[in-house]
Amino acid sequence: MSQKSKTELENNKLHKRLRHAVGDAINDFNMIEHGDKIMVCLSGGKDSYALLDILRHLQASAPVEFELLAVNLDQKQPGFPEHVLPDYLHGIGVPYLIVEEDTYSVVKRVIPEGKTTCSLCSRLRRGVLYRVAKENGCSKIALGHHREDILETLFLNMFYGGKLKAMPPKLVSDNGEHIVIRPLAYCKEKDLARYAELKQFPIIPCNLCGSQPNLQRQIIKDLLADWDRRFPGRIESMFAALQNVVPSHLADTQLFDFAGLQRGQALPYGGDTAFDRETPPDVFSEKRKVINILGNKPKP
Ligand code: SF4
C-alpha cells in the first residue's frame, strides 16, 4: 500500500473513531433528544471546532432531529481576531451568534496583577452563555471537554479538593436552568488534535488574555501524558473506572450504609476483595448492548 493510501486509511479510521465515540457518549447519557436546540460553545480552540464539526455530521445522518446554534463569546481580549469565527461559521453554513461582552476588562479590574484570572473569567463567561442559551430557547449547552479534561479534573479534585469528583458528561448548569452536555467525553485529546490538523480549523490561540496557564492542571496534564506513553491502556482503565464505581469499596458513609452492614448481607460487588484481577480487563472490548440513537453499529 502506498504512503498516500495508508494516510487516507488512517484518516478515515480517525473520523470513524471520533464519530463513534461521540455517538456512544450521546447514547449512553441520552444527551440529545428529538426537538433539542443545542447551543454549541465555540471558543476557537481545536476541541470546540471538532465538537461542532462532528455534531453537524451526526445531525445530517441521525434519525433524531435536533438544531444546532454555534455561539462564540468575544471577551474583548486584546488581539482577538474578530473575523476568524464569523468567516468560518458563515463558510460552513451553520447558524451562529457572536456575543460581545467585555469580561476581559472586568477581570483585569478586579483581579490584582499577577494573580490567576481564570476562575473569575470562566464564571463570567458561564453567566453570559447561560443567558444567551435562555434568550435563544436552547434546551442544551454543549461543551468541548474531552476524556483527558475529565480525568485531569478528577485528579485536581483528588489532589487539591479532597473529593472523588470529575467533570460529568451530562449535568444541569450551576443555575439549574440548563442541561450541559459534553459529547466529546469519550474522545482522546490526541485524536482531536489530529482531527483539527486534518480539517485545518482556524485555531485562535487561547493565551490572548495574557493569563498564566493553570499550573496545577498543567502538571496533571503532563503526568497523564507521561503515563499514556509509558503504560498504554492506563488512561482507558482510569476512564473506565469512572463508569464502574463501587460505593461499598470506598469510604463514603453517605454513599454506602457501612453502619447498617449485616453479616451475610449480599453486596452487588462482593465482599472484602481489594483488587479484582491482576490483569485489568480490556475495558473497550465489551460489546455495546444497544445501537445508539445516532445509528452507530454495536462494536465488534
Ligand atoms: S486563559 Fe484567559 S480567557 Fe481563558 S479562562 Fe483564563 S483568563 Fe479567561
Side-chain angles (χ1 to χ4, degrees):
M1 193 187 288
S2 71
Q3 189 53 41
K4 190 167 170 250
S5 323
K6 263 193 199 158
T7 312
E8 271 172 18
L9 190 69
E10 285 304 312
N11 294 347
N12 280 341
K13 278 192 195 161
L14 174 68
H15 283 209
K16 276 197 191 145
R17 197 159 58 238
L18 284 172
R19 282 186 60 180
H20 275 266
V22 172
D24 286 343
I26 290 173
N27 186 52
D28 289 351
F29 294 89
N30 191 25
M31 287 185 190
I32 300 181
E33 290 153 291
H34 185 77
D36 266 341
K37 181 170 180 181
I38 300 171
M39 180 172 118
V40 183
C41 299
L42 201 63
S43 63
K46 68 179 191 323
D47 306 324
S48 58
Y49 274 119
L51 172 66
L52 179 64
D53 192 76
I54 297 167
L55 286 180
R56 285 182 67 239
H57 276 99
L58 291 175
Q59 187 187 30
S61 58
V64 169
E65 274 183 34
F66 59 93
E67 281 179 65
L68 296 174
L69 175 67
V71 172
N72 168 255
L73 174 59
D74 174 356
Q75 297 180 267
K76 296 293 161 200
Q77 293 141 345
F80 184 76
E82 290 174 1
H83 62 96
V84 170
L85 281 164
D87 288 355
Y88 173 78
L89 294 165
H90 188 72
I92 61 170
V94 71
Y96 71 92
L97 267 181
I98 306 289
V99 181
E100 297 186 25
E101 201 77 49
D102 188 359
T103 60
Y104 175 80
S105 302
V106 178
V107 166
K108 284 282 157 198
R109 199 172 60 241
V110 175
I111 305 279
E113 197 62 43
K115 297 272 179 208
T116 169
T117 50
C118 294
S119 94
L120 176 62
C121 175
S122 39
R123 240 182 309 142
L124 294 171
R125 183 167 53 224
R126 265 205 308 273
V128 176
L129 290 172
Y130 292 168
R131 193 198 72 217
V132 173
K134 197 171 180 174
E135 285 169 359
N136 288 278
C138 296
S139 46
K140 306 262 167 73
I141 299 177
L143 301 175
H145 296 112
H146 47 67
R147 186 186 69 171
E148 277 77 356
D149 288 323
I150 292 174
L151 286 173
E152 284 161 23
T153 308
L154 172 76
F155 281 98
L156 276 169
N157 277 319
M158 274 204 291
F159 291 175
Y160 306 103
K163 281 198 185 94
L164 202 56
K165 175 183 162 186
M167 185 187 257
K170 181 182 178 186
L171 203 66
V172 286
S173 54
D174 304 357
N175 65 1
E177 289 184 6
H178 306 281
I179 298 285
V180 173
I181 56 172
R182 295 187 167 92
L184 302 184
Y186 293 168
C187 298
K188 301 176 188 181
E189 182 171 18
K190 56 187 173 196
D191 278 353
L192 293 165
R194 176 85 190 114
Y195 192 69
E197 256 174 48
L198 281 176
K199 291 273 179 171
Q200 300 189 312
F201 295 136
I203 308 279
I204 300 176
C206 62
N207 55 357
L208 294 170
C209 63
S211 168
Q212 296 302 314
N214 178 331
L215 197 60
Q216 289 150 350
R217 186 174 281 274
Q218 192 55 47
I219 290 169
I220 289 169
K221 211 177 184 40
D222 294 345
L223 183 78
L224 293 181
D226 179 49
W227 281 346
D228 195 30
R229 266 191 306 274
R230 291 194 295 141
F231 310 107
R234 181 172 286 191
I235 302 282
E236 283 75 9
S237 181
M238 285 193 298
F239 192 85
L242 292 179
Q243 300 176 292
N244 284 303
V245 178
V246 183
S248 59
H249 288 58
L250 294 171
D252 187 335
T253 53
Q254 304 290 315
L255 220 52
F256 184 77
D257 183 14
F258 291 100
L261 199 57
Q262 302 291 323
R263 270 186 294 166
Q265 182 176 331
L267 293 171
Y269 296 96
D272 190 25
T273 313
F275 190 55
D276 297 332
R277 303 189 202 177
E278 285 303 320
T279 313
D282 177 2
V283 290
F284 291 113
S285 68
E286 285 173 23
K287 258 193 180 173
R288 292 256 163 209
K289 287 178 267 335
V290 281
I291 297 179
N292 77 34
I293 57 153
L294 296 169
N296 284 4
K297 301 264 175 3
K299 286 179 178 165

